[in-house]
Structures are given as C-alpha cells and as structure tokens.
C-alpha cells in the first residue's frame, strides 16, 4: 500500500511560508512551524539545505546534545520522488513535482526522444551532452524563489549553490558567504544548498563511520556560524533522506526488458517504465510476479488518481511519467545495465528513511530588526 508524502507538511509548504512572508503570492498552504518564527521579522533569513541529511541520518550520526539535533524543531516530509532533483526544484519553485515537472534525476523528454539528466543536461548513464541547450530548462522552465524575491526589491536576495553559475560547493565557502551577507545593514534572504553529506554517503553507505565524522564536522561548523550571527533566523533541512540498497540490473531480465520501449528513467527507486503496446495487458502480472515483494507497481492512471507527485495542475509540458511507475518498498534499487553506476545507497522511494526530514531552527536575536511594508 503506497503512502504519499504529507503534502501539507513538506518542503514545498516551507518554501511557500517564505513567499508569504515577503508578500509574494504563494502556491500552496504554508508551514506553521516556519510561519511562527519568520513573522518575528528578523533582519536576516537564512535557509540551508544539507542534501541527504534525513531524520534517520541525523539521529544516527549525531548525539542528542549536538547542535543540529538540539535545535530540531519538528519533522517535515520530502516530495516524491524523494531525491535531489525533484526535492531541490520543489523547494526553489515552491511548487509540487507535478507542477514544475522535474520529476527525477533522469527524465524522458518525448519532445527529443531522449532520457536526460535534468541538472547537468547529459544523457542518462553517460557524460554525453543531451543537446546544445539545457533541455529541462527549455521545456520545463522555472522561476526560483531567489528570482521571485528579487523582483519585489525590498530584500537583498542571495543564492549559494554548487549548481549553476558562481558555484559555492563546500560548506566552508557557504558559511563564509552567509556570514558576509548577514553582516550587511540590509534586510536579507539567503538560500544555500550544500551537496553534503549525500555526496560522501552515497560512496560509503548510510551508516559508515566516516559519515559520522563528516556530519559532526558539518554540525560543528554550522554551530560556529550561527553563534556569530545576530538578528538572524536560520532554518536547516534537507531535500531527502537516504537508504542502503541492493541493486537489480533490469536489462539482465530479458523477459521484462524486452517488454519495454526504452531504458528505465526517473530514479532507481522510483522507476518510470514505458511498455510496448503488445505487452501492456500482461506487463503488470509479469512484473509483480518477479518484483512484487520489493516494488509497488502503479499504472499512469493510478499515479494520477493518488496525486503521488503532489497536488496541483500538471505542467503543460509534463513528460516522463511512463505507463507504469515502480516504487521501492524494501531495500532494492533498479539499474538499467552494466553501464549504470552502481549504488551503495540512494533515495527516491517512500520509506521513512527517505521522506522524513528534520526542520532545524535557530533564532539569533540581537540588533533591532528593520521593518518593511508588505505587499497586500
């Protein structure tokens, strides 16, 4: 039985709280935990996303009196798929995956008949460019939260990320810039995305001792940063959690692979399957007989009925939802062939480890806050 994320208590609602506070029209209900603190009108608002630091990893690698756990305010939900691409775009656009359309790491673009890694515009399982322009940006254009807030002209807006131009990828660079921004005399909003601890965790496994050391370093550096700030609200969360997996190479299963029009896409634990017309009537039976213990199979119609990609109007250029979506229920993950990078751990499914996220809030009082007139 598939349980969808809590789309009234997720990272999208968090993002919509920020829009509402700054007087920008929101797309979805806001998050009470954020509304209560952001309305105190701090001069600086800082949001930091630590990729992969779900509630499970936070509790496993840190002690209760460590800074991040000590300032844990509540838990929130990721979106589906619970992974970097849809999670990051959901926060940055304040929209659900069904609305912005960036449904997974790799999406089938029917307009080009290509499976494309959305964030770096390469073909799936390769470093080959998908085209002369970024297909995801072209077919699924978005307006991100920093762009929306910049338009109102009443707050200094900063985006810090390893993705895009002027990249800041390491926590030291991010912290240095946050401190510099928050020392200005202006009212500021800063969004910072850090690709750790996910980058390290996926190489070593969720519970490897090296990850404990890494997350403790992140914890300590963020504590020092926060203690140096005044008149600042700092909110820290993640786009998804992560779970250890065993890989299944689907192309090795000739019976199932021969029923598909082309390779799998989206995520390894949230797999889009396009089935040849002549096999659509038997595919579910064949797939469930082999993989039903590890994956729930939903038809495209069932996906739409359950609003598993979130409530909202589907993007007019939406692509990538196949005839079926296979969603991991256990520890398995699908790879397509021997060229697909093996995964020790990953995300994308709907297990508690993948969708349960911490919302860490630190309120630093100090200088008198600056007021501004909100847009009605």
């Amino acid at each position: 039985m598939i349980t969808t994320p809590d789309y009234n208590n997720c990272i999208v609602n968090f993002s919509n709280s920020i829009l509402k506070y700054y007087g920008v029209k929101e797309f979805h209900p806001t998050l009470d935990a954020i509304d209560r603190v952001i309305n105190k009108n701090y001069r600086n608002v800082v949001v930091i996303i630590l990729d992969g630091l779900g509630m499970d990893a936070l509790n496993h690698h840190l002690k209760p009196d460590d800074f991040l756990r000590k300032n844990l305010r509540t838990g929130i939900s990721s979106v589906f798929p619970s992974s970097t691409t849809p999670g990051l775009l959901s926060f940055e656009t304040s929209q659900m995956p069904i609305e912005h359309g960036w449904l997974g790491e790799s999406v089938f673009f029917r307009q080009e008949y290509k499976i494309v890694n959305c964030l770096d515009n390469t073909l799936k399982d390769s470093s080959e460019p998908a085209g002369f322009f970024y297909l995801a940006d072209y077919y699924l254009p978005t307006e991100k939260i920093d762009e929306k807030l910049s338009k109102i002209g009443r707050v200094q807006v900063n985006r810090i990320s390893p993705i895009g131009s002027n990249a800041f990828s390491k926590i030291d660079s991010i912290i240095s810039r946050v401190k510099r921004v928050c020392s200005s005399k202006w009212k500021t909003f800063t969004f910072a995305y850090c690709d750790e601890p996910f980058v390290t965790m996926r190489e070593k496994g969720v519970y490897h001792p090296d990850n404990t050391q890494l997350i403790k370093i992140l914890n300590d550096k963020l504590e020092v940063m926060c203690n140096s700030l005044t008149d600042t609200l700092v909110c820290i969360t993640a786009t998804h959690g992560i779970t250890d997996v065993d890989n299944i190479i689907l192309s090795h299963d000739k019976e199932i692979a021969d029923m598909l029009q082309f390779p799998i896409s989206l995520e390894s634990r949230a797999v889009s399957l396009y089935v040849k017309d002549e096999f659509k009537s038997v595919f579910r039976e064949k797939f469930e007989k082999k993989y039903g213990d590890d994956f729930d199979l939903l038809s495209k119609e069932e996906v739409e009925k359950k609003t598993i990609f979130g409530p909202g109007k589907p993007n007019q250029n939406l692509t990538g939802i196949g005839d079926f979506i296979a969603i991991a229920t256990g520890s398995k993950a699908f790879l397509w062939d021997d060229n697909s990078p093996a995964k020790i751990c990953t995300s994308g499914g709907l297990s508690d480890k993948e969708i349960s996220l911490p919302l860490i809030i630190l309120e630093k009082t100090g200088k008198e806050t600056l007021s501004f007139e909100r847009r009605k």
Side-chain angles (χ1 to χ4, degrees), residues 19 49 92 100 108 142-143 161 165 169 184 201 203 218 296 302 322 342 349:
L19 293 185
I49 288 182
E92 288 203 85
H100 60 68
F108 171 67
T142 62
E143 185 179 35
S161 172
S165 59
S169 60
S184 76
M201 292 173 75
E203 299 296 328
L218 293 173
D296 277 349
E302 290 170 326

Side-chain angles (χ1 to χ4, degrees), residues 239-262:
T239 53
H240 62 87
I242 189 170
T243 186
D244 289 329
V245 297
D246 299 311
N247 297 312
I248 300 171
I249 300 178
L250 193 56
S251 66
H252 289 184
D253 184 338
K254 193 172 188 310
E255 181 183 31
I256 295 297
D258 285 350
M259 294 183 182
L260 301 178
Q261 296 182 47
F262 33 78

Side-chain angles (χ1 to χ4, degrees), residues 159-362:
R159 181 178 187 271
I160 310 171
S161 172
I163 300 168
S165 59
N166 196 25
F168 287 77
S169 60
K170 302 303 180 184
I171 191 65
D172 287 339
S173 298
I174 291 171
I175 287 173
S176 176
R177 187 161 172 195
V178 167
K179 290 169 68 174
R180 185 166 67 250
V181 167
C182 292
S183 67
S184 76
K185 64 180 181 179
W186 308 108
K187 199 170 186 72
T188 73
F189 170 77
T190 301
F191 168 73
Y193 165 74
C194 179
D195 56 13
E196 293 286 11
F198 184 45
V199 168
T200 298
M201 292 173 75
R202 69 186 179 187
E203 299 296 328
K204 299 185 176 183
V206 176
Y207 305 114
H208 194 283
D210 286 355
N211 294 325
T212 302
Q213 181 180 12
L214 169 65
I215 293 171
K216 187 65 166 62
I217 289 172
L218 293 173
N219 173 89
D220 293 349
K221 288 179 180 291
L222 288 168
E223 181 175 17
V224 172
M225 181 199 78
C226 289
N227 286 339
S228 73
L229 303 176
T230 57
D231 203 1
T232 300
L233 173 67
V234 180
C235 304
I236 301 171
T237 188
T239 53
H240 62 87
I242 189 170
T243 186
D244 289 329
V245 297
D246 299 311
N247 297 312
I248 300 171
I249 300 178
L250 193 56
S251 66
H252 289 184
D253 184 338
K254 193 172 188 310
E255 181 183 31
I256 295 297
D258 285 350
M259 294 183 182
L260 301 178
Q261 296 182 47
F262 33 78
I264 59 177
S265 55
L266 292 191
E267 300 286 343
S268 59
R269 288 175 57 79
V271 181
S272 181
L273 302 158
Y274 288 84
V275 180
K276 295 174 183 175
D277 289 342
E278 61 268 32
F279 297 116
K280 287 181 179 177
S281 61
V282 299
F283 181 79
R284 182 188 289 274
E285 177 186 355
K286 298 289 186 181
F287 182 92
E288 289 182 341
K289 183 177 180 180
K290 293 186 174 185
Y291 304 112
D293 290 341
D294 298 301
F295 291 85
D296 277 349
L297 192 68
L298 299 183
S299 68
K300 186 174 183 178
E301 294 72 27
E302 290 170 326
V303 167
E304 293 171 351
K305 184 177 180 180
K306 290 178 178 289
T307 61
I308 199 164
F309 290 103
K313 182 179 180 181
N315 189 292
Q316 63 179 359
N317 289 326
L318 188 69
T319 184
I321 301 178
D323 300 296
F324 295 91
I325 300 286
I327 304 171
T329 57
S331 62
K332 304 296 185 182
F334 277 129
L335 305 178
W336 175 242
D337 60 21
D338 294 322
N339 293 320
S340 304
K343 300 177 185 292
I344 298 174
C345 58
T346 190
S347 58
L350 289 173
S351 70
D352 188 63
K353 291 180 180 180
E354 294 162 283
I355 69 169
S356 295
L357 310 178
L359 179 57
I360 297 153
I361 297 175
L362 186 77

Side-chain angles (χ1 to χ4, degrees), residues 40-79:
K40 296 178 183 179
N41 199 23
Y42 287 96
R43 177 163 56 86
N44 306 301
V45 175
V46 177
V47 176
I48 299 175
I49 288 182
L50 300 176
D51 201 4
L53 190 67
M55 192 76 84
D56 175 67
L58 181 81
N59 289 332
H60 177 84
H61 292 290
L62 294 180
K63 298 175 181 178
D65 60 348
D66 282 329
F67 174 73
L68 293 178
R69 282 191 65 180
K70 187 167 57 177
N71 288 284
L72 175 67
R73 191 68 57 97
T74 188
I76 60 175
S77 177
S78 183
V79 295

